[in-house]
Amino acid sequence: MSEPRLRAKELDAADRLAAKRTEFVLDADGGESGGDAVYLDGNSLGALPVTVPGRVEDVVRRQWGELRIRSWTESGWWTAPERIGDRIAPLVGAAAGQIVVGDSTSVNVFKAVVGAVRLARLTGGAAGPARDEIVVDATTFPTDGYIAESAARMTGCALRPVPPSEVPGALGDRTAAVLLNHVDYRTGRLHDLPALTAAVHAAGAYVVWDLCHSAGALPVGLDEHGVDLAVGCTYKYLNGGPGSPAYLYVRAELQDRFDSPLPGWNSHAEPFGMRPEYAPAPGALRGRVGTPDILSLLALEAALDVWDDGVTVEAVRAKSLALTDFFLECVETYVPEGRVECVTPRAHRERGSQIALRCRDAGDVMRRLIERGVVGDFRHPDVLRFGFTPLYVGFADTERAARVLAEVLAEVPAEVPAEAGADGEA
């Protein structure tokens, strides 16, 4: 047995989170390599927690099938958005009463960015600066950029794309809102949330953080660092299921001034009053819009049970860093030098919970990996992404993924055209 395989066995034996793996549905791959499938795509869609199917069946058969309309009160449907928000809150470093769950990430980004612009203009007053600029992470996931551009047009702001490292120098007295990603979806780079939040506040602006690739994988510290607004999906490291509802965080001190651009009857102070005039509900409820998606919400609630037995984000983060360190060591051991290039930062303070490798024919390489039971994903034009979810990924998985990667690369021509990768983003 090779040294990396022996080391993986030792690391798995010492892993305090190893038992969590049994709480997820992880089937054998049936592929050419044999053994269990190695699922390294939790940064796109988390694995299914074993408790979810039974809980969803109860929601469908009993709560909906038998209780029907009574379930809005008797089964707690009506309060689910804020109840589940309070369960997510500790995972992102927030106190209760600041997160509401519902709608998609895109819808919540829109609410947060427009709300941030309105807060900036309300704070500035007539005598203050115009606050007519929105700064957006230039490397952001495309949808965030689309939403920011639309929000800029609707609020009469200019949109300014800026790389996160250059944001402090780009801020000024015209900046209203800044939309940033905590972890870059393509490279896995972790941005400095405390420092960037402080820089935005020093400029008199409001910050919106997208936590899609960090919530459930690493400490965030929303309250500790004074973040204004934040959004995130729940189907990656929170394992809520495909298309599970996203969440919106509004800092408690801002809630009475948060003016959502999407007021709905669910966020009305008297939702059943059916009044023609809108009056916003107090607290995080202002982030609600329409009728909640109960089936997805309650599937997410069941998925969050995996955190209920004392698992901490800090423990998850420690294992995440150990897994990604070990993966890079195994890649360096198994893969000939020059065949791949790591575009994820090596420094722990700059790394999320994924490793991104650039290589030639990345799409074909990932297809071959999946055929052999190692599931990651590919980002155009030349990036292989491997997401490490510490609750169900082990060190043997990690070693096998690197070993199979080396086998696949041995089948792919090594020559790289001079122009390869020149037009691709990291």
Side-chain angles (χ1 to χ4, degrees), residues 187-279:
T187 67
R189 175 178 290 276
L190 173 65
H191 298 302
D192 192 340
L193 182 147
L196 288 169
T197 298
V200 173
H201 288 168
Y206 289 80
V207 69
V208 178
W209 282 97
D210 183 328
L211 308 178
C212 286
H213 285 268
S214 56
L218 53 91
V220 177
L222 293 179
D223 287 353
E224 177 186 357
H225 303 301
V227 169
D228 302 310
L229 302 111
V231 302
C233 68
T234 60
Y235 47 78
K236 294 183 173 68
Y237 298 107
L238 298 181
N239 309 296
S244 57
Y247 56 89
L248 171 67
Y249 164 91
V250 182
R251 182 157 52 91
E253 295 85 351
L254 302 177
Q255 289 175 356
D256 63 345
R257 289 176 284 143
F258 176 67
D259 183 7
S260 174
L262 293 174
W265 78 285
N266 256 240
S267 64
H268 197 287
E270 297 181 72
F272 294 97
M274 303 302 168
R275 304 183 184 282
E277 302 83 14
Y278 180 74

Side-chain angles (χ1 to χ4, degrees), residues 275-336:
R275 304 183 184 282
E277 302 83 14
Y278 180 74
L285 289 173
R286 290 189 179 202
R288 293 175 66 156
V289 184
T291 305
D293 183 342
I294 292 300
L295 297 183
S296 290
L297 266 175
L298 299 188
L300 166 62
E301 185 172 35
L304 292 171
D305 287 352
V306 299
W307 297 90
D308 284 351
D309 57 357
V311 176
T312 66
V313 177
E314 288 73 20
V316 167
R317 175 59 168 167
K319 183 177 176 182
S320 165
L321 292 172
L323 285 169
T324 48
D325 279 344
F326 185 55
F327 181 67
L328 289 173
E329 292 173 15
C330 290
V331 168
E332 290 171 356
T333 299
Y334 292 135
V335 177

Side-chain angles (χ1 to χ4, degrees), residues 338-353:
R339 292 305 311 275
V340 297
E341 173 193 358
C342 181
V343 295
T344 304
R346 299 288 182 128
H348 286 182
R349 68 181 182 279
E350 298 176 359
R351 186 195 309 167
S353 199

Side-chain angles (χ1 to χ4, degrees), residues 35-324:
D36 291 339
V38 179
Y39 189 67
L40 300 181
D41 208 7
N43 54 332
S44 287
L45 176 65
L48 172 67
V50 297
T51 60
V52 171
R55 195 79 60 84
V56 171
E57 182 177 12
D58 177 70
V59 173
V60 172
R61 293 188 181 276
R62 184 181 64 84
Q63 297 181 27
W64 179 15
E66 297 175 16
L67 297 178
R68 291 178 287 276
I69 198 72
R70 292 161 52 195
S71 278
W72 284 106
T73 53
E74 294 181 28
S75 300
W77 288 2
W78 184 259
T79 57
E82 55 269 27
R83 180 178 73 244
I84 300 170
D86 284 347
R87 292 190 66 182
I88 292 173
L91 304 181
V92 292
Q98 299 176 101
I99 294 179
V100 65
V101 180
D103 305 310
S104 67
T105 305
S106 301
V107 171
N108 284 321
V109 168
F110 177 74
K111 293 181 211 171
V113 173
V114 174
V117 172
R118 291 176 175 178
L119 283 166
R121 290 174 174 171
L122 183 65
T123 302
R131 298 293 176 185
D132 57 2
E133 180 181 82
I134 296 173
V135 172
V136 64
D137 179 349
T139 61
T140 191
F141 186 75
T143 293
D144 283 18
Y146 306 155
I147 296 294
E149 194 277 333
S150 180
R153 284 188 285 115
M154 294 181 67
T155 57
C157 287
L159 184 66
R160 188 175 181 188
V162 178
S165 61
E166 299 175 17
V167 163
L171 303 174
D173 60 7
R174 303 185 74 89
T175 309
V178 180
L179 172 60
L180 297 167
N181 285 263
H182 196 193
V183 175
D184 186 288
Y185 81 98
R186 187 182 287 106
T187 67
R189 175 178 290 276
L190 173 65
H191 298 302
D192 192 340
L193 182 147
L196 288 169
T197 298
V200 173
H201 288 168
Y206 289 80
V207 69
V208 178
W209 282 97
D210 183 328
L211 308 178
C212 286
H213 285 268
S214 56
L218 53 91
V220 177
L222 293 179
D223 287 353
E224 177 186 357
H225 303 301
V227 169
D228 302 310
L229 302 111
V231 302
C233 68
T234 60
Y235 47 78
K236 294 183 173 68
Y237 298 107
L238 298 181
N239 309 296
S244 57
Y247 56 89
L248 171 67
Y249 164 91
V250 182
R251 182 157 52 91
E253 295 85 351
L254 302 177
Q255 289 175 356
D256 63 345
R257 289 176 284 143
F258 176 67
D259 183 7
S260 174
L262 293 174
W265 78 285
N266 256 240
S267 64
H268 197 287
E270 297 181 72
F272 294 97
M274 303 302 168
R275 304 183 184 282
E277 302 83 14
Y278 180 74
L285 289 173
R286 290 189 179 202
R288 293 175 66 156
V289 184
T291 305
D293 183 342
I294 292 300
L295 297 183
S296 290
L297 266 175
L298 299 188
L300 166 62
E301 185 172 35
L304 292 171
D305 287 352
V306 299
W307 297 90
D308 284 351
D309 57 357
V311 176
T312 66
V313 177
E314 288 73 20
V316 167
R317 175 59 168 167
K319 183 177 176 182
S320 165
L321 292 172
L323 285 169
T324 48

